[in-house]
């Protein structure tokens, strides 16, 4: 790639990026090197919960170094981080390595993936640190090369990640479809106690693609669900929204279960939350669930139902904590604090 004509100065930059929750899931890649999906997906961007990252290109470094929550990042993580940084260096024409420091306000141990917010914060901070001024489509593509779901954390509100057709991924990025205030839902994260997930999303979706009998029909279903869900959100039609969001998550888990070996992320508490949410909905509460690659359950509900639903879920055996949040804005640059981001 040619250096951009629109270069600013190189220096320390910091960004905050929120996490996001997929309403129709990304589970299957057509290219695993640059994370091109087999289907489009829709998500909501969370307010508050996310990652804060500082990047500083430095002349005296012999390689990129990174601390995440005060610990050196492992080799597998560094490979992905370098992929994003290498692309940024190619665009900026700089060969400097960088010191990076990242802090998650949502710990992976709380049952939520931090890779979406981590790579969205990295793309936002690092492109600014290397003097690039990129639009949100370009930032989304960059974040995607670190982790697919990170493409959806650049913009806020209700976000659509287009699958794209091209082999170079230039048309596979996410954009906002509706602002948060179009339909201001609350999000409850019912965190299941017990260890972290055993199989990463990256590995799990690769397994489903090669081993699951249901994989082809899963992808067909996603193509349908994305269009139908966008309409339901536009029309604020909760009943259709709930059917699609729950159905899509259950179909993803069904696809995992139909793999050989079967992939099961649920624990008994996962089913207990599903049953409680269905019961609450039958009794008139506007709430529905979705589940990522783990045992925790995320509930979307109307603002007036958030408190009573949260109270019911907190009482369930095996639920460690119910975190309540809302839909918020996307990744943004923030002021970099003092202190060098040396590892
Ligand atoms: C179940 O984005 O973590 O949360 O692209 O390999 O880093 P990689 O996978 P990742 O997968 C997220 C899977 C999911 C569904 C979703 O967020 O769409």
């Amino acid at each position: 790639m040619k250096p951009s004509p629109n270069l600013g100065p190189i220096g320390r930059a910091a960004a905050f990026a929120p996490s996001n929750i997929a309403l129709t899931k990304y589970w299957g890649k057509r290219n695993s090197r640059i994370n091109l999906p087999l289907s489009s997906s829709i998500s909501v961007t969370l307010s508050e919960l996310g990652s804060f990252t500082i990047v500083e290109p430095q002349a005296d470094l012999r390689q990129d170094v990174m601390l995440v929550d005060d610990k050196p990042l492992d080799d597998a993580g560094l490979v992905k981080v370098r992929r994003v940084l290498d692309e940024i260096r190619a665009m900026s024409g700089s060969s400097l390595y960088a010191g990076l420091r990242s802090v998650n306000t949502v710990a992976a141990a709380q049952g939520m993936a931090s890779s979406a917010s981590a790579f969205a914060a990295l793309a936002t901070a690092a492109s600014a640190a290397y003097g690039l001024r990129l639009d949100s489509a370009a930032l989304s593509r960059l974040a995607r090369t670190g982790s697919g779901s990170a493409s959806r954390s650049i913009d806020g509100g209700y976000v659509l990640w287009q699958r794209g057709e091209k082999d170079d991924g230039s048309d596979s990025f996410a954009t906002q479809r509706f602002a948060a205030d179009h339909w201001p839902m609350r999000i409850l994260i019912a965190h299941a106690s017990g260890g972290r997930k055993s199989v990463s999303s990256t590995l799990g979706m690769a397994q489903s693609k090669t081993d699951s009998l249901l994989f082809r029909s899963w992808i067909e279903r996603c193509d349908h669900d994305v269009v139908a869900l966008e309409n339901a959100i536009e029309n604020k039609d909760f009943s259709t929204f709930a059917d699609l969001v729950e159905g899509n998550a259950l179909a993803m888990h069904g696809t995992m279960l139909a793999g050989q070996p079967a992939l099961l992320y649920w624990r008994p508490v996962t089913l207990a939350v599903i049953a409680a949410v269905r019961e609450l909905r039958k009794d008139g509460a506007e709430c529905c669930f979705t589940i990522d690659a783990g045992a925790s359950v995320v509930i979307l509900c109307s603002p007036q139902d958030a408190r009573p639903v949260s109270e019911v879920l907190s009482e369930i055996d095996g639920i460690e904590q119910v975190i309540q949040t809302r839909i918020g804005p996307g990744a943004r640059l923030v002021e970099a604090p003092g202190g060098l981001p040396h590892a």
Side-chain angles (χ1 to χ4, degrees):
M1 236 170 281
K2 283 201 196 99
S4 158
N6 204 9
L7 278 177
I10 291 186
R12 182 189 308 183
F16 175 79
S19 196
N20 72 76
I21 300 291
L23 304 176
T24 64
K25 308 295 185 186
Y26 147 58
W27 195 255
K29 305 184 192 193
R30 60 190 170 89
N31 176 324
S32 55
R33 195 180 51 83
I34 52 172
N35 296 325
L36 300 182
L38 278 161
S39 61
S40 302
S41 55
I42 296 183
S43 59
V44 283
T45 304
L46 302 186
S47 64
E48 300 135 32
L49 304 173
S51 307
F52 173 81
T53 298
I54 312 174
V55 180
E56 184 169 20
Q58 292 165 27
D60 57 347
L61 284 175
R62 294 287 155 266
Q63 58 179 352
D64 299 310
V65 284
M66 182 164 193
L67 288 179
V68 177
D69 293 329
D70 290 330
K71 291 189 227 41
L73 181 61
D74 60 27
D75 288 347
L78 263 179
V79 167
K80 294 180 179 185
V81 167
R82 287 188 183 132
R83 199 178 294 157
V84 176
L85 291 174
D86 284 345
E87 204 161 324
I88 288 173
R89 280 188 278 257
M91 282 192 259
S92 78
S94 165
S95 55
L96 292 179
Y97 290 112
L100 303 97
R101 181 184 286 266
S102 187
V103 178
N104 292 308
T105 62
V106 48
Q110 277 178 318
M112 284 194 59
S114 53
S115 68
S117 54
F119 282 101
L122 171 69
T124 306
S127 53
Y130 282 88
L132 298 175
R133 296 189 183 93
L134 302 180
D135 62 15
S136 68
L139 288 173
S140 172
R141 279 192 294 262
L142 264 179
R144 190 207 68 224
T145 58
S147 179
S149 54
S151 65
R152 299 186 309 238
S153 277
I154 297 295
D155 273 352
Y158 293 83
V159 170
L160 169 68
W161 173 16
Q162 287 282 7
R163 168 196 190 279
E165 300 296 331
K166 297 186 180 161
D167 288 344
D168 66 0
S170 55
D171 57 352
S172 184
F173 58 90
T175 48
Q176 183 184 85
R177 306 302 288 191
F178 305 99
D181 63 1
H182 164 71
W183 199 15
M185 278 201 216
R186 294 294 180 270
I187 295 140
L188 307 175
I189 299 154
H191 172 224
S193 47
R196 294 186 52 187
K197 63 186 177 191
S198 49
V199 178
S200 70
S201 302
T202 309
L203 197 62
M205 66 176 94
Q207 271 182 24
S208 292
K209 186 181 172 187
T210 52
D211 301 335
S212 175
L213 293 170
L214 301 182
F215 190 75
R216 189 187 286 258
S217 48
W218 154 246
I219 294 299
E220 280 167 18
R221 180 182 176 132
C222 286
D223 293 341
H224 160 270
D225 285 355
V226 164
V227 176
L229 186 69
E230 199 176 339
N231 277 328
I233 297 169
E234 179 163 23
N235 300 324
K236 302 177 198 173
D237 170 355
F238 192 83
S239 155
T240 306
F241 175 89
D243 286 348
L244 287 164
V245 169
E246 292 188 354
N248 187 273
L250 292 172
M252 177 181 75
H253 285 272
T255 307
M256 300 171 184
L257 280 170
Q260 287 165 328
L263 190 53
L264 175 60
Y265 287 105
W266 295 7
R267 290 201 284 267
V269 63
T270 314
L271 272 173
V273 175
I274 291 176
V277 170
R278 291 197 153 169
E279 199 60 32
L280 284 157
R281 191 153 81 246
K282 219 164 71 198
D283 292 345
E286 278 196 338
C287 59
C288 67
F289 66 82
T290 185
I291 309 165
D292 284 331
S296 295
V297 183
V298 176
I299 293 91
L300 295 116
C301 63
S302 64
Q304 66 273 20
D305 290 317
R307 186 196 264 244
V309 170
S310 169
E311 280 167 6
V312 170
L313 300 182
S314 309
E315 293 301 310
I316 295 175
D317 249 7
I319 288 298
E320 198 165 283
Q321 189 188 13
V322 179
I323 302 165
Q324 197 186 136
T325 185
R326 51 181 78 205
I327 307 176
R332 58 254 183 203
L333 287 169
V334 294
E335 202 163 316
L340 286 175
H342 273 297

